[in-house]
């Protein structure tokens, strides 16, 4: 690592039509000054990896398609080994506007009321003062369901429990980088619930996001129905592991202060 303490992690799978615009936006001087960029090419069959390399950004190429969560965890391990202090993860499909980067970065470094800095900053599509973002009725139902579960278990009101645009402190991404501490397929509301139960500090800010214009979302069509059931059982497993089995509660003491 040079003088920058922030790494932007972008998992990408067959995003050759979207990622040039994403990388172009991240090339703005105000972002280049504060952050390095790492793209995890999850065994794309198109030109995603070649495009990233042509822009002179770091890219890790997965030999096999391992899934979104696995790609993120590769990024966390990279950030840990390169001694970055903060990570911002964003998608390669153009939905996450680059204007959010500086706001997330500043929030990560800003002390909370207790004098400590946040461990996780969630960029929410559904907070006031954020940009308008329309979703299907199925997705709205899924978001409301996850929001309700998190509130009933933790008492925390999370506006956007499935946002993929997040900032992480070193304490948080070091925890995620460890074996079996992170969902390597669909890290979402289940991981947020885990971190809240373990005492990590989570804050939220409004975000500007856009609808995907090219390609297909991994949650398109009727997939949100299956996803809602899968995520529900995953969240229940997290609750059981932490509250009943007390798994992770010892090791977290080395990360949460």
């Amino acid at each position: 690592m040079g003088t920058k303490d922030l790494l932007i992690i972008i998992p990408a799978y067959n995003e050759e039509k979207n990622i040039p615009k994403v990388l172009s936006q991240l090339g703005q001087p105000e972002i280049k000054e504060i952050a390095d960029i790492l793209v995890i090419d999850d065994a794309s069959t198109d030109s995603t990896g070649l495009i990233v390399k042509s822009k002179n950004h770091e890219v890790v190429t997965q030999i096999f398609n391992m899934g979104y969560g696995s790609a993120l965890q590769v990024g966390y391990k990279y950030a840990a080994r390169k001694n970055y202090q903060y990570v911002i993860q964003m998608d390669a499909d153009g939905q996450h506007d680059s204007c959010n980067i500086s706001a997330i970065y500043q929030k990560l470094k800003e002390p909370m009321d207790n004098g400590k800095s946040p461990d996780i900053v969630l960029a929410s599509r559904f907070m006031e003062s954020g940009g308008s973002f329309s979703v299907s009725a199925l997705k709205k139902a899924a978001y409301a369901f996850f929001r309700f579960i998190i509130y009933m278990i933790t008492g925390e009101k999370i506006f956007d429990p499935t946002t993929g645009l997040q900032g992480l402190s070193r304490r948080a991404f070091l925890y995620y980088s460890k074996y079996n501490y992170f969902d390597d397929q669909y890290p979402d509301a289940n991981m947020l619930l885990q971190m809240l139960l373990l005492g990590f500090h989570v804050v939220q800010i409004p975000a500007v996001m856009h609808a995907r214009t090219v390609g297909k979302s991994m949650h398109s069509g009727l997939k949100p129905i299956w996803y809602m059931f899968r995520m529900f059982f995953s969240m229940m497993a997290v609750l059981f592991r932490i509250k009943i089995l007390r798994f992770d509660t010892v090791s977290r003491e080395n990360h949460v202060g």
Side-chain angles (χ1 to χ4, degrees):
M1 186 189 79
T3 59
K4 299 173 186 175
D5 60 0
L6 171 64
L7 179 68
I8 298 174
I9 295 175
I10 309 174
Y13 176 66
N14 289 348
E15 294 287 1
E16 65 178 8
K17 294 182 179 179
N18 290 312
I19 204 161
K21 182 179 179 181
V22 172
L23 295 177
S24 176
Q25 290 182 348
L26 293 175
Q28 299 173 51
E30 61 270 25
I31 297 177
K32 288 179 65 175
E33 289 176 2
I34 62 173
D36 292 325
I37 296 171
L38 172 70
V39 175
I40 300 90
D41 178 13
D42 195 19
S44 296
T45 56
D46 63 7
S47 300
T48 296
L50 293 175
I51 292 171
V52 177
K53 290 177 183 177
S54 72
K55 302 293 185 180
N56 296 317
H57 294 301
E58 291 294 322
V59 57
V60 173
T61 303
Q62 305 265 60
I63 299 176
F64 302 103
N65 182 257
M66 301 295 289
Y68 177 72
S70 177
L72 280 175
Q73 196 170 48
V74 167
Y76 302 147
K77 292 178 182 293
Y78 180 97
R81 291 174 181 173
K82 295 292 185 177
N83 202 34
Y84 288 93
Q85 300 304 304
Y86 305 99
V87 156
I88 293 177
Q89 61 189 53
M90 63 183 294
D91 293 346
D93 58 11
Q95 293 194 68
H96 299 158
D97 197 293
S98 62
C99 71
N100 299 295
I101 298 298
S102 295
I104 296 172
Y105 181 51
Q106 292 304 317
K107 198 68 176 179
L108 280 168
K109 299 190 296 180
E110 182 181 300
M112 302 179 296
D113 292 340
N114 61 7
K116 298 177 181 178
S117 298
D119 294 303
I120 300 175
V121 175
L122 303 176
S124 172
R125 292 164 285 186
F126 309 121
M127 290 178 70
E128 291 184 11
S129 75
S132 60
F133 190 87
S134 61
V135 296
S136 68
L138 279 176
K139 288 184 178 180
K140 281 184 179 179
Y143 300 156
F145 183 57
F146 300 148
R147 195 179 297 124
F148 174 75
I149 293 175
I150 291 173
Y151 178 73
M152 292 301 295
I153 294 175
T154 69
E156 295 287 339
K157 293 182 179 179
I158 303 298
F159 292 95
D160 192 352
T162 66
T163 178
L165 181 57
Q166 301 183 20
L168 305 174
S169 70
R170 184 171 177 83
R171 182 162 49 189
F173 70 73
L174 280 178
Y175 193 85
Y176 276 159
S177 70
K178 295 182 179 297
Y179 175 74
N180 209 31
Y181 283 31
F182 190 72
D183 187 337
D184 63 1
Q185 290 299 312
Y186 297 106
D188 218 327
N190 53 346
M191 293 295 93
L192 179 56
L193 175 63
Q194 169 184 280
M195 300 305 264
L196 287 169
L197 288 174
L198 291 174
F200 285 82
H201 306 300
V202 179
V203 300
Q204 306 171 79
I205 63 172
V208 176
M209 298 195 191
H210 311 287
R212 173 190 276 269
T213 56
V214 179
K216 185 178 290 186
S217 169
M218 63 180 178
H219 299 313
S220 59
L222 296 177
K223 290 180 182 178
I225 297 177
W226 172 87
Y227 186 75
M228 185 164 61
F229 280 105
R230 185 198 185 282
M231 189 55 56
F232 170 74
F233 287 112
S234 181
M235 293 173 80
M236 292 303 100
V238 166
L239 179 63
F240 181 77
R241 187 179 73 242
I242 293 175
K243 288 299 187 181
I244 305 300
L245 299 182
R246 307 294 293 173
F247 183 75
D248 294 353
T249 54
V250 175
S251 60
R252 71 172 177 173
E253 294 175 1
N254 296 324
H255 299 272
V256 182

